[in-house]
Amino acid sequence: MFKVASLNDLKEGQKCVVDDIAVSGDIKRRLMDLGIIKGAVVECGIISPGGDPKAFYIKGALIALREEDSSKIYIKAYDGANSPYEKGCVDE
């Protein structure tokens, strides 16, 4: 069975590109307001000792998300190419 990777699967220092957000309503609007939109480059910054929440660099800001939300944000591999949404992200 094919498993789609989510933002919650990232380890510290890994980058990805947001592919889809599988929530709706107010939560989706809040995530989009934080810069989590399709095509955005996200880097896993800090993982709490218990594993939840995780903090992600999104457009230069460090945003903490609980597993409940980050597991519904689907991702694809970051290939290092310039993304139009990467401006402001933390450099490697």
Side-chain angles (χ1 to χ4, degrees):
M1 178 185 271
F2 179 72
K3 180 183 176 205
V4 176
S6 73
L7 203 55
N8 195 59
D9 297 326
L10 288 183
K11 308 235 181 306
E12 281 187 53
Q14 289 183 316
K15 283 186 174 184
C16 69
V17 176
V18 175
D19 192 40
D20 190 26
I21 303 171
V23 295
S24 60
D26 291 339
I27 298 295
K28 185 168 187 170
R29 170 57 42 203
R30 175 185 274 176
L31 293 172
M32 292 175 69
D33 288 344
L34 291 171
I36 302 172
I37 58 174
K38 186 172 181 158
V41 176
V42 178
E43 179 181 352
C44 184
I46 302 169
I47 301 173
S48 70
D52 187 30
K54 291 183 177 181
F56 301 92
Y57 289 104
I58 305 165
K59 296 188 177 183
L62 188 61
I63 307 293
L65 296 174
R66 297 215 173 269
E67 182 178 357
E68 177 182 345
D69 298 320
S70 63
S71 64
K72 296 174 186 169
I73 301 168
Y74 300 113
I75 60 172
K76 56 186 176 182
Y78 173 71
D79 62 6
N82 290 331
S83 166
Y85 302 104
E86 187 174 13
K87 187 175 183 180
C89 281
V90 174
D91 293 330
E92 292 182 344

